[in-house]
Amino acid sequence: MNAPCVRVPTEAGERTRTRLAEADLVAEDLDIVVEDGDLYIPVTDPDAVPDDLDVVEHDVPERDTQTTPADVLGFEPSYERLGDVVILDEDDPARAARIADAVMESDLRAKTVVNRASKVKGETRVRDWDVLAGDGTETVHREYGCEFHLDIAEVYFSPRLATERHRVVKQVAAGEHAFDMFAGVGPYAIPMAEAGADVVAADINEEAIDYLRENAERNGVAERVTAHCGDVRALAAEYEGWAERLVMNLPHTANEFLDAAVTLAGDDCVLHYYDIQHEDERYAPGEAAIRAAAEPEYDVDVETRHTVRSYAPHEYNVCLDVRLTRR
Ligand code: SAM
């Protein structure tokens, strides 16, 4: 922004800045700029500047006065943000508590700080959390223009998958039939509906389906989203041959649902199959399982072999985009 500044040669800079600071004239919310051998020191009141100093208008940036957790701690902590919940992954409880205090003391907009207390577990893939500061694990998270209301103590949600979800959603065409077999609170289903698809979303977690329905309303796509609570295998007969796109985001056990996926698939269907495998054989087990379930009824064409992220030492979360074409 343009602001009144005292212009002095750099060699006189510190002396002049001290003189102006003593007179309480330095504009603390603006940064000093060095340009072509001159220093531009922004001032609060140009009329009060001593006459022997040169005052000019100059473009100077606003100073970032936000206090970060790193400013408080003296080191850069790692954390993730899910709406106004801050998520830590710390093994040492004392270090976790220090980071939580620093987050709350900083200017980060945080309501609650939690630490991972277990792996994701059981059928619903929800993990335990230690609430270290603040309270309440419910939040509204924004991702690629959509809003998701959720409670991390009740449902699965990983902000780390945002880019991957977007990669899939970009492939969706208006009017297509998309079936999200393990939908959670809707981070695939809702943007797919926003892209114009007719979406059926299933999840076995009742809380997740309640949030998904609310999120469909919240994002204005409720008329294109049909949500079902229960084991997706029980829905397969009802939607036999309906799907032109299937999302199977249940790594570790998606292979157990491939028969249901093939029942759901229409004559031409793209399957997004998530898996977790060893680095040496990331895609082959998933591809073999899909072929075993879909051939010879379908031609199986693997369009993309995509590594989503590292999951554990030597293990990767991958996605196979596979086109099934009825023979
Ligand atoms: N797709 C969502 C996302 O990206 O956040 C959720 C993915 S989470 C890894 C897997 C989801 O599958 C969980 O919400 C879980 O409740 C659901 N699930 C597990 N078994 C299921 C089943 N048999 N039928 C339907 N949903 C199931």
Side-chain angles (χ1 to χ4, degrees), residues 120 122-126 143 154-159 161 165 180-189 201-206 208-209 212 228-235 247-251 253 257 274 309:
V120 290
E123 212 169 32
T124 58
R125 315 307 292 151
V126 179
E143 189 174 289
E154 303 289 345
V155 300
Y156 174 92
F157 193 95
S158 172
L161 295 176
R165 291 191 270 258
D180 188 351
M181 294 173 70
F182 311 102
V185 302
Y188 287 91
D203 203 287
I204 207 155
N205 181 345
E206 207 172 318
I209 286 295
L212 187 148
H228 292 276
C229 182
D231 188 324
V232 66
R233 286 172 288 212
L235 270 183
V247 180
M248 297 185 76
N249 182 19
L250 186 64
T253 48
F257 295 83
Y274 289 91
R309 59 175 170 162

Side-chain angles (χ1 to χ4, degrees), residues 69 73 77-82 85-103 108 112-118 127-133 152 160:
L73 289 163
S78 77
Y79 56 82
E80 278 176 89
R81 302 193 62 173
L82 186 66
V85 174
V86 169
I87 299 174
L88 311 182
D89 188 7
E90 293 291 336
D91 294 332
D92 175 2
R95 182 181 151 98
R98 256 184 88 197
I99 297 173
D101 288 346
V103 167
L108 221 59
T112 309
V113 184
V114 297
N115 196 19
R116 289 186 170 90
S118 77
R127 70 169 91 231
D128 296 331
W129 303 95
D130 287 332
V131 177
L132 303 179
I152 51 164
R160 289 183 196 172

Side-chain angles (χ1 to χ4, degrees), residues 206-224:
E206 207 172 318
E207 257 87 21
I209 286 295
D210 286 347
Y211 279 117
L212 187 148
R213 289 194 175 115
E214 186 203 317
N215 289 330
E217 292 280 353
R218 180 183 272 271
N219 290 282
V221 292
E223 75 287 353
R224 284 204 294 283

